[in-house]
Amino acid sequence: MTTNSERLFQEAVKVIPGGVNSPVRAFGSIGSTPRFIKCANGAYIYDEDDNKYIDYVGSWGPMILGHNQKAVLEAVTEACKMGLSYGAATAAEVEMAKLVCELVPSIEMVRMVNSGTEAVMSAIRVARGYTQRNKIIKFTGCYHGHSDGLLVKAGSGVMTAGVPDSLGVPAGCTQDTLSAVYNDLESVKEHFKRCGEEIAAIIVEPVAANMGVVPPEPGFLEGLRSICDEYGALLIFDEVITGFRLGIDGAQGYYGIKPDLTTFGKIISGGMPVGAYGGRREIMEVVSPVGGVYQAGTLSGNPIAMAAGLTQLTILKEHPEYYKTLNENAEWFFGEIEKTVAEAGLPYQVNHVGSIGSLFFTGEKVRDYDSAKTSDTKAFAEYCNYMLNHGIYLAPAQFEAMFLSMAHSKEILEETLQTMKQYFL
Ligand code: HOZ
């Protein structure tokens, strides 16, 4: 019998490329088709066939308080009554900017945009405008959204699809994008030795989370900081995934490294379509209308999104104990996964930092793109389908992260582990 999700997918492919609005969610890499989601609450999502799943995607990160968090929902509902969009300055966006600057010490000024892609695109332009240099360094397997210049050896869906770059990106757009190897400072130094005076910035996911989760090795982020200082380049932390998740001050607080610019995504708005970029005042003052770097947007600072964001960030600020609980739960949970695969005699790798993690189907230690790529994606697909069919919703690709939230209680995590044990043992 055809399920509602299957029926919707058949309709979707006729009118949406691949039937989806973002490639990873097509479930192609696990040989399946998407579950169409009807609603979500707490740690759960429900599909159009009324199947209930424990959700480890959490809208790819922002649902750190769980879906449909009461206060966030109320704030959004109230804001909606005041009008949906003005394309004009509001008090809420000033509050939001002040809050972000207060919570993240490296940020003295911040601009709201509408997605992580836009945040990164703008931060790169600022770095180039500020340094008057063109080249940037990114790391193979890191994903910074789908803007032209950054679709070079990118992670996430690009990596899953096994294509190095995207069609439709003119060579001229990527000629100034240099690739280096994650966790390998030598590969960065080589670029700087060759053309250090031309490099505007290094952009990095301080914890890579789009080739699966790959933590920075000790000294890696510190090394990037000092190379940038030596050559007068800017260090950009893409904290679209780690920001306000590893702690209230993100990965930069967690590892104690101060970037020059930071980019954020949907987590700063409780999952609404928002991004932001910010950094030191003297750098951010190159942005128009103060400076000559142009960046704009009618929806930037949208009042509904600001209401959601202010509420979520305020809750996180007022409850530092949430991070303690979340990280302790995650430590236990990922440790149990490790024990389970070890007991099954499988040499699989579990990488995690705080509440994000990945189970790699490989015997190799995963520390960069090449080692992540040794994963047996067919074995992952079989496992992922089993979990889905048993009520556990994982990202449908090996090279993505699992996200835990405050709504994932010990009982819910335990239930997930039992399902994993049924599969592996
Ligand atoms: N780029 C996202 C994963 N890193 C996937 C977004 C989506 O499919 O919604």
Side-chain angles (χ1 to χ4, degrees):
M1 204 185 82
T2 311
T3 64
N4 288 336
S5 278
E6 285 164 350
R7 185 181 48 74
L8 282 164
F9 191 54
Q10 284 163 11
E11 287 174 32
V13 289
K14 293 181 198 151
V15 284
I16 305 174
V20 287
N21 281 314
S22 189
V24 178
R25 65 177 83 154
F27 285 57
S29 79
I30 62 162
S32 186
T33 52
R35 304 303 192 266
F36 281 71
I37 303 306
K38 185 157 68 177
C39 60
N41 202 35
Y44 297 102
I45 48 171
Y46 301 81
D47 70 15
E48 292 283 352
D49 295 282
D50 293 325
N51 295 309
K52 177 182 179 182
Y53 305 88
I54 303 174
D55 179 21
Y56 287 93
V57 175
S59 195
W60 305 94
M63 298 307 172
I64 191 164
L65 298 173
H67 290 286
N68 244 354
Q69 204 277 343
K70 194 166 173 285
V72 176
L73 201 62
E74 279 168 11
V76 168
T77 310
E78 283 310 304
C80 284
K81 294 178 190 162
M82 311 287 282
L84 300 185
S85 173
Y86 323 126
T90 64
E93 65 189 4
V94 184
E95 281 311 300
M96 182 69 157
K98 286 201 293 199
L99 188 56
V100 172
C101 293
E102 177 197 330
L103 298 176
V104 187
S106 72
I107 298 183
E108 293 170 345
M109 296 189 107
V110 62
R111 258 281 166 93
M112 292 295 143
V113 289
N114 303 293
S115 68
T117 291
E118 213 184 310
V120 169
M121 205 175 80
S122 310
I124 297 281
R125 188 176 300 155
V126 166
R128 285 176 166 152
Y130 177 78
T131 59
Q132 304 278 300
R133 301 173 180 181
N134 285 339
K135 295 192 189 304
I136 54 158
I137 293 183
K138 79 171 281 293
F139 294 90
T140 304
C142 281
Y143 180 71
H144 304 288
H146 64 274
S147 66
D148 284 353
L150 290 159
L151 277 184
V152 177
K153 298 184 181 166
S156 190
V158 188
M159 181 169 174
T160 300
V163 288
D165 305 305
S166 169
L167 287 177
V169 176
C173 291
T174 54
Q175 72 189 10
D176 288 319
T177 308
L178 310 172
S179 304
V181 178
Y182 198 78
N183 275 326
D184 179 355
L185 285 175
E186 281 312 309
S187 71
V188 178
K189 284 180 191 163
E190 275 168 29
H191 285 306
F192 274 93
K193 272 183 211 142
R194 208 164 27 79
C195 56
E197 308 305 315
E198 297 170 59
I199 297 173
I202 298 176
I203 182 160
V204 65
E205 291 180 75
V207 175
N210 284 287
M211 48 178 148
V213 171
V214 180
E217 291 176 354
F220 178 59
L221 298 175
E222 291 82 349
L224 297 182
R225 181 66 277 173
S226 65
I227 293 169
C228 283
D229 290 344
E230 187 184 337
Y231 286 90
L234 301 187
L235 180 60
I236 307 174
F237 272 9
D238 181 345
E239 296 230 38
V240 165
I241 287 185
T242 52
F244 303 102
R245 173 164 278 279
L246 295 191
I248 197 75
D249 45 3
Q252 52 197 271
Y254 194 90
Y255 292 105
I257 310 287
K258 217 170 176 182
D260 300 296
L261 289 170
T262 304
T263 58
F264 296 114
K266 49 229 170 233
I267 197 163
I268 66 166
S269 60
M272 298 285 289
V274 173
Y277 66 98
R280 288 209 314 276
R281 180 175 307 278
E282 53 160 336
I283 301 172
M284 289 300 288
E285 281 184 341
V286 302
V287 179
S288 179
V290 184
V293 170
Y294 198 73
Q295 177 268 310
T298 298
L299 297 175
S300 304
N302 170 273
I304 317 299
M306 292 301 100
L310 268 172
T311 309
Q312 172 148 301
L313 291 188
T314 304
I315 293 173
L316 291 172
K317 174 186 156 184
E318 287 172 355
H319 293 278
E321 75 280 9
Y322 283 5
Y323 287 107
K324 190 169 176 291
T325 309
L326 187 58
N327 291 341
E328 280 173 4
N329 284 350
E331 192 66 35
W332 169 77
F333 177 68
F334 288 111
E336 289 298 309
I337 298 178
E338 210 157 9
K339 282 188 209 158
T340 303
V341 286
E343 203 181 326
L346 297 164
Y348 295 166
Q349 309 296 308
V350 179
N351 281 0
H352 89 98
V353 180
S355 55
I356 49 173
S358 294
L359 168 60
F360 290 96
F361 283 58
T362 176
E364 248 185 68
K365 180 175 162 53
V366 179
R367 58 185 298 269
D368 56 17
Y369 178 89
D370 284 344
S371 45
K373 275 298 233 185
T374 63
S375 301
D376 180 346
T377 50
K378 284 203 175 74
F380 173 84
E382 189 190 285
Y383 153 79
C384 192
N385 278 306
Y386 179 91
M387 297 299 277
L388 264 174
N389 293 332
H390 290 80
I392 314 289
Y393 190 89
L394 304 174
Q398 167 72 93
F399 307 116
E400 300 288 351
M402 280 178 91
F403 296 91
L404 271 58
S405 81
M406 281 308 300
H408 289 74
S409 63
K410 262 300 202 22
E411 292 69 34
I412 290 174
L413 296 174
E414 182 59 55
E415 191 185 329
T416 309
L417 290 169
Q418 286 312 321
T419 310
M420 280 186 191
K421 283 179 186 161
Q422 276 165 31
Y423 179 73
F424 284 115
L425 300 179

